[in-house]
Amino acid sequence: MKIVLAYSGGLDTSVLVRWLKDHYNAEIITFAADVGQEEELDGLEEKAKATGASAHYTLDLKDEFAKDYIFPMLRANTIYEGQYYLGTSIARPLIAKAHIDLARKVGADAVAHGATGKGNDQVRFELGYAALAPDLQIISPWRMEVFRKAFPGRTEMIKYCADNNINVEASASKPYSMDRNSLHISYEAGILEDPWFDPTTPENKKMYKLTVDPEDAPDQAQYIELDFEKGDCTAIDGKKVTPAEAVYQLNKIAGKHGIGRVDIVENRFVGMKSRGVYETPGGTIIMMGHKQVESLTMDRELEHLRDSLIPKYAELVYNGFWFAPEREALQAFIDNSQKSVTGTVRLKLYKGNVTTVGRKSPYSLYDENVASMEGVQSSYNPDDATGFIRLQGLRLRARAATQSEFIEK
């Protein structure tokens, strides 16, 4: 039997390499999807092979991640439950796709992952596998009683590594878990499971990796200009950038000013509430800029219809339905709505805040003559408002005439 395991090099997946090999008498091939974890990927091949893997692949997916996953999601102004920029969620379908592609390439019988039985990632990965490779066996050890009995906690996993000469840098008191990619870093579990715990205090704030504390950010504001073409950020301060470059550079710029921190209690797809702390500096200002260009260029009814679909689109991404037909259909509508979303926005960054201070577009629907309060002649005739208002109030007058007793006053 040949199994391809999604591998991070941490305690859980280090245990899984050896355990899967022994439990299934299988050849284990490990892989890591490089979606922007940076130094976390160092030394993975050597470690995986030393742990028992016959081969390891680290696949560079950073450009594909930004172009085909992050940017399509940002075109929809996608935020889950009004706060979460979906940084972890959006990486999972790409990782699942790469996992399946590699499994096909090496002729594997199964794919395996180390996602816990309480989290969203088990759902996201396996829905991706189902959509792309329904014939492959899926192994999820955390949902196997035999595995949970062997490893009820981290103490048993650390002892297993010691007994099997598996080198892991882990302790039984790890304060939280972290997931990183190009778009964001998430922190959860451990000390963060208490929703009253404050990670911004002086003794705790070193947790954050992408953003400085807004209180420690520069006292001088920074102005930047973002260019958009058909809904995508294509230039920063006049310099052309690829999607991956845009996210990377804006992470640095926004992070310096403490922009992009969110601390939320969210509703997981599996039914529970969980507390998560997220840093999404670049994504925060890209979305702000995108909304501002849309405000100039997007027809009102089209914008309102698209906005009504944001919660559904966000839910699909969060729950793992990226490869589902309804997400694909929504994406087609969203991309069509972006045809005229081209222009430039000027943003002011200061101590955790993003302020829009200018926007312009060759496709602007904003007409200064129409909007002016200075009596400028335009295609708008105030006299037309009389009939407009009277028709809008027709049903209200009818109700008042016959059903006044039901009107709350």
Side-chain angles (χ1 to χ4, degrees), residues 29 42 80 95 151 178 197-198 224 255 309 312 319 344 382 385 387:
I29 297 171
D42 294 346
Y80 180 69
I95 294 171
F151 304 105
M178 185 178 81
F197 176 82
D198 180 2
I224 63 168
L309 298 171
K312 181 61 179 178
N319 292 346
T344 302

PDB file of all heavy atoms in Angstrom, residues 29 42 80 95 151 178 197-198 224 255 309 312 319 344 382 385 387:
ATOM      1  N   ILE A  29       4.700   8.448   1.560  1.00  0.00           N
ATOM      2  CA  ILE A  29       5.279   9.590   0.833  1.00  0.00           C
ATOM      3  C   ILE A  29       4.678  10.855   1.439  1.00  0.00           C
ATOM      4  O   ILE A  29       3.458  10.961   1.584  1.00  0.00           O
ATOM      5  CB  ILE A  29       4.966   9.515  -0.669  1.00  0.00           C
ATOM      6  CG1 ILE A  29       5.620   8.262  -1.271  1.00  0.00           C
ATOM      7  CG2 ILE A  29       5.428  10.771  -1.400  1.00  0.00           C
ATOM      8  CD1 ILE A  29       5.200   7.974  -2.691  1.00  0.00           C
ATOM      9  N   ASP A  42      11.553  24.806   6.133  1.00  0.00           N
ATOM     10  CA  ASP A  42      12.973  24.449   6.101  1.00  0.00           C
ATOM     11  C   ASP A  42      13.205  23.053   6.690  1.00  0.00           C
ATOM     12  O   ASP A  42      12.685  22.718   7.755  1.00  0.00           O
ATOM     13  CB  ASP A  42      13.798  25.474   6.895  1.00  0.00           C
ATOM     14  CG  ASP A  42      13.785  26.856   6.260  1.00  0.00           C
ATOM     15  OD1 ASP A  42      13.378  26.954   5.089  1.00  0.00           O
ATOM     16  OD2 ASP A  42      14.177  27.826   6.944  1.00  0.00           O
ATOM     17  N   TYR A  80     -16.147  36.122   6.347  1.00  0.00           N
ATOM     18  CA  TYR A  80     -17.037  35.186   7.044  1.00  0.00           C
ATOM     19  C   TYR A  80     -17.483  35.782   8.367  1.00  0.00           C
ATOM     20  O   TYR A  80     -16.663  36.243   9.161  1.00  0.00           O
ATOM     21  CB  TYR A  80     -16.306  33.861   7.278  1.00  0.00           C
ATOM     22  CG  TYR A  80     -17.123  32.806   7.997  1.00  0.00           C
ATOM     23  CD1 TYR A  80     -18.209  32.208   7.375  1.00  0.00           C
ATOM     24  CD2 TYR A  80     -16.802  32.413   9.291  1.00  0.00           C
ATOM     25  CE1 TYR A  80     -18.959  31.231   8.029  1.00  0.00           C
ATOM     26  CE2 TYR A  80     -17.531  31.437   9.952  1.00  0.00           C
ATOM     27  CZ  TYR A  80     -18.613  30.853   9.312  1.00  0.00           C
ATOM     28  OH  TYR A  80     -19.352  29.892   9.956  1.00  0.00           O
ATOM     29  N   ILE A  95      -4.483  22.980  -1.374  1.00  0.00           N
ATOM     30  CA  ILE A  95      -3.681  21.904  -0.784  1.00  0.00           C
ATOM     31  C   ILE A  95      -4.288  20.544  -1.131  1.00  0.00           C
ATOM     32  O   ILE A  95      -3.569  19.596  -1.475  1.00  0.00           O
ATOM     33  CB  ILE A  95      -3.574  22.093   0.743  1.00  0.00           C
ATOM     34  CG1 ILE A  95      -2.789  23.363   1.059  1.00  0.00           C
ATOM     35  CG2 ILE A  95      -2.910  20.884   1.392  1.00  0.00           C
ATOM     36  CD1 ILE A  95      -2.801  23.759   2.524  1.00  0.00           C
ATOM     37  N   PHE A 151      -3.001   7.635  21.299  1.00  0.00           N
ATOM     38  CA  PHE A 151      -2.508   8.994  21.509  1.00  0.00           C
ATOM     39  C   PHE A 151      -3.629   9.899  22.042  1.00  0.00           C
ATOM     40  O   PHE A 151      -4.150  10.768  21.326  1.00  0.00           O
ATOM     41  CB  PHE A 151      -1.954   9.571  20.206  1.00  0.00           C
ATOM     42  CG  PHE A 151      -0.883   8.727  19.582  1.00  0.00           C
ATOM     43  CD1 PHE A 151      -1.153   7.955  18.455  1.00  0.00           C
ATOM     44  CD2 PHE A 151       0.385   8.676  20.132  1.00  0.00           C
ATOM     45  CE1 PHE A 151      -0.179   7.169  17.883  1.00  0.00           C
ATOM     46  CE2 PHE A 151       1.377   7.885  19.563  1.00  0.00           C
ATOM     47  CZ  PHE A 151       1.096   7.124  18.440  1.00  0.00           C
ATOM     48  N   MET A 178      -0.662  27.351  15.410  1.00  0.00           N
ATOM     49  CA  MET A 178      -0.522  28.419  14.433  1.00  0.00           C
ATOM     50  C   MET A 178      -0.565  27.843  13.029  1.00  0.00           C
ATOM     51  O   MET A 178      -0.016  26.779  12.770  1.00  0.00           O
ATOM     52  CB  MET A 178       0.801  29.161  14.653  1.00  0.00           C
ATOM     53  CG  MET A 178       1.019  30.374  13.766  1.00  0.00           C
ATOM     54  SD  MET A 178       2.590  31.211  14.147  1.00  0.00           S
ATOM     55  CE  MET A 178       3.743  30.176  13.227  1.00  0.00           C
ATOM     56  N   PHE A 197      -9.101  35.612  27.484  1.00  0.00           N
ATOM     57  CA  PHE A 197      -7.646  35.786  27.476  1.00  0.00           C
ATOM     58  C   PHE A 197      -7.248  36.888  26.494  1.00  0.00           C
ATOM     59  O   PHE A 197      -7.698  36.916  25.345  1.00  0.00           O
ATOM     60  CB  PHE A 197      -6.965  34.470  27.086  1.00  0.00           C
ATOM     61  CG  PHE A 197      -5.471  34.572  26.964  1.00  0.00           C
ATOM     62  CD1 PHE A 197      -4.664  34.503  28.092  1.00  0.00           C
ATOM     63  CD2 PHE A 197      -4.878  34.766  25.726  1.00  0.00           C
ATOM     64  CE1 PHE A 197      -3.287  34.602  27.980  1.00  0.00           C
ATOM     65  CE2 PHE A 197      -3.499  34.869  25.600  1.00  0.00           C
ATOM     66  CZ  PHE A 197      -2.707  34.786  26.736  1.00  0.00           C
ATOM     67  N   ASP A 198      -6.375  37.771  26.946  1.00  0.00           N
ATOM     68  CA  ASP A 198      -5.943  38.920  26.139  1.00  0.00           C
ATOM     69  C   ASP A 198      -4.541  38.672  25.589  1.00  0.00           C
ATOM     70  O   ASP A 198      -3.556  38.724  26.338  1.00  0.00           O
ATOM     71  CB  ASP A 198      -5.961  40.184  27.004  1.00  0.00           C
ATOM     72  CG  ASP A 198      -5.530  41.436  26.241  1.00  0.00           C
ATOM     73  OD1 ASP A 198      -5.251  41.333  25.024  1.00  0.00           O
ATOM     74  OD2 ASP A 198      -5.479  42.514  26.862  1.00  0.00           O
ATOM     75  N   ILE A 224      -0.458  55.140   0.480  1.00  0.00           N
ATOM     76  CA  ILE A 224      -0.145  54.261  -0.638  1.00  0.00           C
ATOM     77  C   ILE A 224      -1.267  54.349  -1.667  1.00  0.00           C
ATOM     78  O   ILE A 224      -2.411  54.688  -1.343  1.00  0.00           O
ATOM     79  CB  ILE A 224       0.042  52.785  -0.210  1.00  0.00           C
ATOM     80  CG1 ILE A 224      -1.252  52.202   0.374  1.00  0.00           C
ATOM     81  CG2 ILE A 224       1.190  52.641   0.752  1.00  0.00           C
ATOM     82  CD1 ILE A 224      -1.192  50.692   0.538  1.00  0.00           C
ATOM     83  N   GLY A 255       1.500  45.491   7.772  1.00  0.00           N
ATOM     84  CA  GLY A 255       1.940  44.935   9.044  1.00  0.00           C
ATOM     85  C   GLY A 255       2.743  45.928   9.862  1.00  0.00           C
ATOM     86  O   GLY A 255       2.650  45.962  11.099  1.00  0.00           O
ATOM     87  N   LEU A 309     -24.931  38.253  -1.803  1.00  0.00           N
ATOM     88  CA  LEU A 309     -24.393  36.904  -1.982  1.00  0.00           C
ATOM     89  C   LEU A 309     -23.102  36.669  -1.205  1.00  0.00           C
ATOM     90  O   LEU A 309     -22.619  35.532  -1.124  1.00  0.00           O
ATOM     91  CB  LEU A 309     -24.147  36.642  -3.472  1.00  0.00           C
ATOM     92  CG  LEU A 309     -25.390  36.686  -4.369  1.00  0.00           C
ATOM     93  CD1 LEU A 309     -24.983  36.629  -5.838  1.00  0.00           C
ATOM     94  CD2 LEU A 309     -26.342  35.544  -4.027  1.00  0.00           C
ATOM     95  N   LYS A 312     -23.187  33.966   1.572  1.00  0.00           N
ATOM     96  CA  LYS A 312     -23.259  32.609   1.027  1.00  0.00           C
ATOM     97  C   LYS A 312     -21.914  32.178   0.458  1.00  0.00           C
ATOM     98  O   LYS A 312     -21.452  31.054   0.706  1.00  0.00           O
ATOM     99  CB  LYS A 312     -24.340  32.530  -0.056  1.00  0.00           C
ATOM    100  CG  LYS A 312     -24.497  31.128  -0.658  1.00  0.00           C
ATOM    101  CD  LYS A 312     -24.897  30.103   0.398  1.00  0.00           C
ATOM    102  CE  LYS A 312     -25.088  28.717  -0.194  1.00  0.00           C
ATOM    103  NZ  LYS A 312     -25.431  27.723   0.850  1.00  0.00           N
ATOM    104  N   ASN A 319     -16.692  26.513   4.660  1.00  0.00           N
ATOM    105  CA  ASN A 319     -17.103  25.124   4.886  1.00  0.00           C
ATOM    106  C   ASN A 319     -16.401  24.117   3.986  1.00  0.00           C
ATOM    107  O   ASN A 319     -16.530  22.917   4.196  1.00  0.00           O
ATOM    108  CB  ASN A 319     -18.615  24.998   4.708  1.00  0.00           C
ATOM    109  CG  ASN A 319     -19.394  25.723   5.793  1.00  0.00           C
ATOM    110  OD1 ASN A 319     -18.839  26.104   6.815  1.00  0.00           O
ATOM    111  ND2 ASN A 319     -20.675  25.933   5.560  1.00  0.00           N
ATOM    112  N   THR A 344      -7.920  53.548  -9.399  1.00  0.00           N
ATOM    113  CA  THR A 344      -6.867  53.746  -8.402  1.00  0.00           C
ATOM    114  C   THR A 344      -7.480  54.264  -7.120  1.00  0.00           C
ATOM    115  O   THR A 344      -8.378  55.118  -7.144  1.00  0.00           O
ATOM    116  CB  THR A 344      -5.821  54.754  -8.909  1.00  0.00           C
ATOM    117  OG1 THR A 344      -5.262  54.277 -10.132  1.00  0.00           O
ATOM    118  CG2 THR A 344      -4.701  54.948  -7.895  1.00  0.00           C
ATOM    119  N   PRO A 382     -34.620  68.040 -10.071  1.00  0.00           N
ATOM    120  CA  PRO A 382     -35.258  67.843  -8.769  1.00  0.00           C
ATOM    121  C   PRO A 382     -36.770  67.719  -8.840  1.00  0.00           C
ATOM    122  O   PRO A 382     -37.381  67.079  -7.971  1.00  0.00           O
ATOM    123  CB  PRO A 382     -34.831  69.087  -7.987  1.00  0.00           C
ATOM    124  CG  PRO A 382     -33.550  69.516  -8.625  1.00  0.00           C
ATOM    125  CD  PRO A 382     -33.726  69.200 -10.084  1.00  0.00           C
ATOM    126  N   ALA A 385     -38.336  64.282  -8.579  1.00  0.00           N
ATOM    127  CA  ALA A 385     -38.396  63.588  -7.293  1.00  0.00           C
ATOM    128  C   ALA A 385     -39.795  63.604  -6.692  1.00  0.00           C
ATOM    129  O   ALA A 385     -40.139  62.718  -5.900  1.00  0.00           O
ATOM    130  CB  ALA A 385     -37.403  64.211  -6.313  1.00  0.00           C
ATOM    131  N   GLY A 387     -42.832  63.091  -8.089  1.00  0.00           N
ATOM    132  CA  GLY A 387     -43.565  61.892  -8.490  1.00  0.00           C
ATOM    133  C   GLY A 387     -42.932  60.621  -7.976  1.00  0.00           C
ATOM    134  O   GLY A 387     -43.627  59.675  -7.578  1.00  0.00           O
TER     135      GLY A 387
END
